[in-house]
Amino acid sequence: MNPRVLPSALAALALVSVAVSAAEFHISPGGNDANPGTKDKPFATPARAVAAVRTLVAGGLNRDVRVVLHGGTYALEAPLVFTPADSGSADHAITYAAAPGETVVISGGRPVTGWKPSGGAKWTVELAGVKAGQWFFRQLVVNGQRVVRARWPDEDGVLHIATVGNEVKSFTFDRTLPPENLGDQDAELVVYENWSVSRALVTTSDERQLATATAVGWIGHGDMTTASPGKPAFIEHARAALDQPGEGFLDRRTGTLTYLARPGEIPAQAVPVAPFPTQLWKI
């Protein structure tokens, strides 16, 4: 080999190596979506990185693509949506990964702030998005603990179905129900069935009978299919049932969220979090 040729050959190899190295975008909670997405000037949101990757895909991939998420929490305002337009190819992969040794949290939670004391352990906050019909949630976490939607009775096994009628949408029970009409409260009848836990929105009630509408979800084989006499049940999210520490009630009409703090809790100093998007990502 001619030794005078070797340096130029190595230089050519180095140029090829640079040309085929992976494209890389960086995201950091302290970044800015107006940045170019480099390590020194990272994006702020995963959604911005998805858009940048999609542009590369549209232009035709000639190398692998790597998106590096640096440590921190990324709160999503909407689900991340991945379609064929975000896909790699047979020759080049697209990878989303946490930076080595760093912890990344993708969250659908939104902090709930603005709490005011309302007497005793009761705290309230007005949520304009809820009142405007733009936000409704069935979960709330305070200091890492799930808040119970105000329920009646408070213990399992206390209330049982007595009779079932009207295509399994009308029920009586073995004890008197709360006297107020539970309709228009987003209250739910929860029934422990043979192989499932069923939930249905309460449309109307009195002290003797309760009627429900379409089920809001279940675990198991179906929609109140075995909600028969003797099955244990309870009512969740009833305003009158807000009586235990750690319970909450969200009034959709007024946008008022009420929480009964646990001993020693001060919601204004805690970090209550409620879900905002219903999904983190869609594929």
Side-chain angles (χ1 to χ4, degrees):
M1 178 180 294
N2 186 340
R4 289 176 296 179
V5 177
L6 184 59
S8 60
L10 289 176
L13 288 174
L15 288 174
V16 171
S17 176
V18 170
V20 299
S21 64
E24 197 167 83
F25 294 111
H26 291 260
I27 319 171
S28 170
N32 190 313
D33 279 350
N35 286 342
T38 62
K39 186 174 182 179
D40 293 334
K41 294 183 177 181
F43 297 138
T45 66
R48 177 65 183 88
V50 170
V53 172
R54 186 171 293 183
T55 298
L56 289 183
V57 173
L61 289 179
N62 57 11
R63 49 184 167 167
D64 293 345
V65 180
R66 182 177 177 84
V67 178
V68 180
L69 291 87
H70 292 272
T73 298
Y74 299 87
L76 303 183
E77 290 294 313
L80 293 174
V81 179
F82 294 96
T83 73
D86 306 294
S87 179
S89 67
D91 298 317
H92 299 291
I94 297 175
T95 303
Y96 288 76
E102 299 185 27
T103 300
V104 172
V105 176
I106 305 294
S107 173
R110 172 180 284 186
V112 179
T113 60
W115 293 92
K116 298 179 181 179
S118 298
K122 184 180 294 185
W123 291 76
T124 60
V125 60
E126 305 296 325
L127 301 175
V130 172
K131 185 176 182 179
Q134 301 167 344
W135 189 23
F136 182 73
F137 50 88
R138 300 172 67 254
Q139 301 286 339
L140 179 68
V141 174
V142 178
N143 287 334
Q145 296 188 70
R146 177 181 174 273
V147 171
V148 176
R149 301 174 85 211
R151 59 168 280 177
W152 180 91
D154 292 309
E155 302 83 16
D156 285 337
V158 175
L159 180 70
H160 298 82
I161 294 174
T163 64
V164 178
N166 190 25
E167 300 180 348
V168 200
K169 290 187 178 180
S170 177
F171 306 87
T172 63
F173 300 87
D174 61 354
R175 62 183 294 180
T176 301
L177 297 176
E180 67 174 356
N181 187 348
L182 298 172
D184 298 324
Q185 293 190 31
D186 296 297
E188 298 172 15
L189 172 65
V190 185
V191 179
Y192 295 109
E193 304 194 51
N194 290 351
W195 302 102
S196 65
V197 178
S198 296
R199 294 172 173 270
L201 288 170
V202 177
T203 56
T204 185
S205 73
D206 56 32
E207 295 183 7
R208 301 173 303 280
Q209 191 171 12
L210 178 151
T212 67
T214 305
V216 295
W218 54 85
I219 302 170
H221 61 264
D223 174 11
M224 295 289 182
T225 54
T226 58
S228 54
K231 292 294 191 298
F234 64 89
I235 297 166
E236 185 177 276
H237 203 251
R239 184 182 290 104
L242 185 63
D243 58 1
Q244 296 293 317
E247 287 188 338
F249 181 84
L250 177 60
D251 190 323
R252 193 195 296 257
R253 291 172 297 179
T254 66
T256 303
L257 174 60
T258 304
Y259 174 61
L260 285 184
R262 299 178 179 94
E265 277 186 338
I266 301 178
Q269 299 175 3
V271 188
V273 176
F276 185 69
T278 55
Q279 293 176 285
L280 292 181
W281 54 76
K282 298 179 181 179
I283 298 176

